[in-house]
Amino acid sequence: MRNITFYLAILLLSFSRLVAQEMYLNSYTMGEGISVGGDQGYSMVLRGYVQPFLEVKKYTGMEETPLYPRFRMRRLRLRLTGEAAQQKIDYRFQIDLSGTSEIGEGGSDFLLDAWVAYNPTSRIKISFGQRATPTDNRELTMGSQSLQLVERSRLTSAFSSIREFGLFAQGSFRSGRGSYLRPYLAITNGDGLNVFGKDHGGMKVGGRLDFLPFGLFTNLGQFRQVDMVREQAPKLVIGGHTSYNQGMSSRRGRDSGSILYLNDLNQESLPNYLKYGIDFLFKYRGFSALGEFVGSQATVPEDITQRIRNNGTISTNFLVDGMQDVDRYVKGRMMLGKAYNLQMGYLFKNRLSIDGRYTHLRADQHSFLNNGTFYNRPTYYTIGLGYFLAKGYGAKIQMSCTYIQVAEGSNDIFGDPIQGNEWIGRLITSFAF
């Protein structure tokens, strides 16, 4: 609750002048929200959406394997954005009431975005607070309501930190012949969502550079997967990103303090985490294609001699294959390896969308990607079908089917060995105002 109060205080200060003046309705578009404004360039947009979700899983290679259904509210979000044009300030506040995390791996991300930005020029923005980080893969820059398939790729869930707290800067510069360069810089605490308790480890520094050779996308199309506007000229963005997290206390920099190590002086000694990748997005007349590559590696301090268990007790046991090996043990609890994701789809003029995806994870020898219960599944094939009930992103229904190749030594949801592979069917509906 202290987190919410803190962010609300910042945002209330930022738009207090707006609510103090006479307001008027600018516009309302289903899926794009309610826009209100005032004098001197003040404006606010309130939008939200709800996504009921069904997932059914089945294992092959075993006789009489039942279906495992799962119903839940995938997302239930409200977002408030605003701008004070003359003061060169804008802000965002977004919450999720569904009780699930962005990539669906448990946990609850109630507060998603809470940041305030200053725009010293029309081409440069500097923001402070909690927001999506540019050092993740491209799919994480795209709104959840605009996804091409029901869920984000397994590459995203394996390597992304999703949102972080810190200082962010971005620019957009014309570079000749209609092309654009968009650089991004992020300096964060490296712990994912903001924490008000102890801040473990050091800072995380990273950046991204995007190149748009054919100019800007239409209507924020760079940040939406489906080519809803049916770009009349080819649009392409290609970019690279990297980040270095000094002293990480989790598997990938998403959950502060979940994995801790100590030296002989009982001082924290944590591994460093390097992540890098390249990606692209292409759109033209209803066709869209997204390609991503992400890699990671870690360095483990030589002075680690102890680890803190989940119950708070301390252990000096770092056994791997019957041998004491700190380096291999620490890396075995981190997301280390490489991943590739390629997906494409076509939106017909009748608003029917047909989509496909191929995702491959290649784990390092010592990596949590080899965990038999949650990962150890190297290849994913997905086909999807979607129908937009109205023009834009206001209402849609989507379904997908994913075939997963399971590596030897994997378990099902009950911890029992899997003898075959997996099928996952998903259905989601989305309604936005």
Side-chain angles (χ1 to χ4, degrees):
M1 189 64 188
R2 289 196 309 166
N3 298 34
I4 305 304
T5 304
F6 173 76
Y7 288 120
L8 279 174
I10 294 178
L11 292 169
L12 285 172
L13 288 173
S14 68
F15 60 78
S16 59
R17 291 186 61 181
L18 173 61
V19 298
Q21 61 181 295
E22 184 177 354
M23 305 292 295
Y24 53 85
L25 178 65
N26 282 336
S27 64
Y28 169 69
T29 303
M30 185 177 180
E32 301 294 336
I34 303 169
S35 175
V36 297
D39 298 331
Q40 302 178 1
Y42 290 94
S43 64
M44 286 195 308
V45 178
L46 178 65
R47 66 181 63 177
Y49 60 95
V50 56
Q51 291 183 326
F53 175 85
L54 166 65
E55 178 180 279
V56 178
K57 181 177 294 188
K58 181 176 177 61
Y59 301 101
T60 68
M62 294 183 287
E63 296 183 0
E64 300 181 357
T65 302
L67 297 175
Y68 299 100
R70 182 187 186 191
F71 296 89
R72 60 179 170 140
M73 185 61 67
R74 185 63 185 88
R75 299 177 182 92
L76 177 56
R77 295 187 177 177
L78 288 173
R79 185 172 79 183
L80 178 69
T81 59
E83 180 182 19
Q86 291 191 2
Q87 284 71 32
K88 302 180 179 181
I89 293 174
D90 56 83
Y91 52 85
R92 175 180 295 179
F93 180 72
Q94 181 175 202
I95 59 175
D96 189 343
L97 303 175
S98 67
T100 61
S101 69
E102 168 62 24
I103 47 103
E105 288 190 340
S108 176
D109 300 341
F110 176 77
L111 180 65
L112 301 180
D113 297 311
W115 52 263
V116 178
Y118 175 66
N119 304 274
T121 74
S122 60
R123 300 179 183 276
I124 299 174
K125 173 182 287 189
I126 301 172
S127 56
F128 178 72
Q130 180 174 294
R131 64 176 302 166
T133 174
T135 60
D136 276 337
N137 54 297
R138 185 165 302 280
E139 192 179 38
L140 263 297
T141 69
M142 301 175 182
S144 302
Q145 76 278 16
S146 74
L147 294 182
Q148 204 166 33
L149 290 152
V150 176
E151 282 285 23
R152 300 185 190 271
S153 74
R154 198 56 168 159
L155 177 151
T156 295
S157 62
F159 290 97
S160 66
S161 52
I162 306 179
R163 286 175 172 83
E164 298 180 4
F165 186 89
L167 184 68
F168 305 84
Q170 63 189 76
S172 182
F173 306 100
R174 196 178 181 93
S175 54
R177 297 185 179 181
S179 62
Y180 280 80
L181 280 175
R182 286 186 160 177
Y184 301 82
L185 174 67
I187 303 174
T188 71
N189 61 1
D191 293 324
L193 299 178
N194 184 43
V195 292
F196 278 80
K198 183 177 179 180
D199 186 11
H200 299 277
M203 290 194 310
K204 177 180 177 181
V205 178
R208 165 182 283 275
L209 180 62
D210 282 346
F211 177 56
L212 294 84
F214 310 131
L216 302 179
F217 289 70
T218 304
N219 193 26
L220 300 176
Q222 179 182 340
F223 308 102
R224 296 170 173 181
Q225 281 192 9
V226 178
D227 185 17
M228 186 65 64
V229 301
R230 304 187 67 85
E231 296 282 0
Q232 294 305 299
K235 297 296 181 182
L236 171 69
V237 56
I238 182 169
H241 60 90
T242 187
S243 62
Y244 184 75
N245 195 334
Q246 184 178 11
M248 191 172 71
S249 60
S250 60
R251 301 196 193 283
R252 58 175 84 72
R254 191 190 295 169
D255 187 14
S256 175
S258 59
I259 301 177
L260 296 173
Y261 304 99
L262 306 173
N263 58 26
D264 283 335
L265 301 178
N266 291 325
Q267 299 170 334
E268 286 187 4
S269 182
L270 302 174
N272 302 320
Y273 188 72
L274 173 68
K275 186 171 71 173
Y276 52 90
I278 57 174
D279 43 48
F280 75 88
L281 173 69
F282 175 81
K283 290 185 175 182
Y284 182 54
R285 295 190 176 182
F287 173 78
S288 57
L290 172 69
E292 301 169 299
F293 162 78
V294 171
S296 67
Q297 59 189 62
T299 56
V300 179
E302 296 181 356
D303 64 342
I304 292 178
T305 57
Q306 306 171 79
R307 60 182 176 90
I308 300 179
R309 297 189 181 98
N310 292 335
N311 62 7
T313 60
I314 294 177
S315 173
T316 58
N317 184 343
F318 291 88
L319 291 178
V320 179
D321 296 330
M323 299 179 60
Q324 186 83 349
D325 195 320
V326 173
D327 186 86
R328 292 169 59 188
Y329 184 94
V330 172
K331 289 181 177 178
R333 303 174 77 188
M334 304 173 70
M335 302 304 246
L336 300 176
K338 298 177 176 62
Y340 309 83
N341 180 59
L342 178 63
Q343 62 188 65
M344 57 187 65
Y346 183 75
L347 178 68
F348 293 90
K349 291 183 179 180
N350 63 359
R351 300 192 298 273
L352 178 69
S353 177
I354 299 177
D355 310 284
R357 169 193 288 158
Y358 167 79
T359 305
H360 180 70
L361 306 182
R362 194 171 71 194
D364 284 357
Q365 181 180 2
H366 305 290
S367 168
F368 193 75
L369 290 173
N370 297 312
N371 181 276
T373 300
F374 300 102
Y375 289 94
N376 204 34
R377 292 149 171 82
T379 308
Y380 301 74
Y381 303 91
T382 302
I383 56 173
L385 187 66
Y387 181 67
F388 292 81
L389 304 175
K391 185 177 180 179
Y393 301 100
K396 65 177 179 177
I397 181 169
Q398 291 174 289
M399 61 185 68
S400 69
C401 182
T402 301
Y403 177 70
I404 304 171
Q405 291 184 344
V406 178
E408 185 178 352
S410 297
N411 308 317
D412 62 16
I413 59 176
F414 302 107
D416 298 322
I418 297 175
Q419 299 175 9
N421 294 311
E422 291 181 7
W423 286 94
I424 298 180
R426 296 184 173 103
L427 173 68
I428 195 169
T429 57
S430 179
F431 299 94
F433 69 82

